[in-house]
Amino acid sequence: MRIANVYRPLVFGCSVSATLPEVARRMTEKNIGALAVLEADRVAGVITERDLVTALATSDDPAGLSAGMCASSDIKTATLDEDTREVARRMLDHGIRHIPVDQDGRLIGMVSMRDLLALETLAP
């Protein structure tokens, strides 16, 4: 199956200057585990629940940290035409649970490991 069939076409994001409490509130409000970190009109990174936990565990003042400081900037992406199993393998290989979906250089959505696992679980 292709990523086009399973990705979530809404992109939730925050600015690079958003504080970690703001990031956590946004994730909670949207019931999601990752946000695109945006700088002007480009994606500067992805911040995840794991990034928030790491900041809490390692910083004396996590509330003073910004999304841009804690986000993963080595962004792996998927495209609409890619096979879901190939993307799942790439996510496993890189230890990531959320991957942005790119079309012609534009971020158009996100797919999570949970989305891919549900696909495999529900397949006939």
Side-chain angles (χ1 to χ4, degrees):
M1 185 169 288
R2 294 175 339 128
I3 288 296
N5 300 107
V6 297
Y7 85 105
R8 295 171 188 251
L10 292 176
V11 178
F12 294 108
C14 64
S15 73
V16 292
S17 61
T19 64
L20 295 191
E22 292 169 335
V23 169
R25 274 192 294 279
R26 180 118 170 111
M27 285 183 187
T28 300
E29 289 168 2
K30 301 298 181 187
N31 194 31
I32 56 175
L35 293 173
V37 178
L38 307 170
E39 185 170 31
D41 61 348
R42 73 173 192 86
V43 179
V46 174
I47 190 163
T48 66
E49 295 164 319
R50 188 182 302 170
D51 296 324
L52 292 175
V53 169
T54 299
L56 283 170
T58 61
S59 174
D60 292 332
D61 182 25
L65 298 176
S66 71
M69 296 166 74
C70 299
S72 303
S73 58
D74 181 21
I75 305 168
K76 308 293 182 227
T77 62
T79 62
L80 294 173
D81 291 330
E82 280 190 272
D83 181 75
T84 54
R85 288 177 187 244
E86 291 173 16
V87 172
R89 171 54 49 201
R90 188 163 62 248
M91 292 170 77
L92 285 170
D93 289 346
H94 292 284
I96 56 177
R97 293 180 289 191
H98 303 85
I99 193 165
V101 179
D102 176 87
Q103 182 178 34
D104 301 322
R106 284 185 20 252
L107 178 67
I108 61 165
M110 193 83 81
V111 68
S112 72
M113 190 57 81
R114 178 179 285 166
D115 298 330
L116 298 176
L117 180 60
L119 176 68
E120 289 301 312
T121 304
L122 299 174

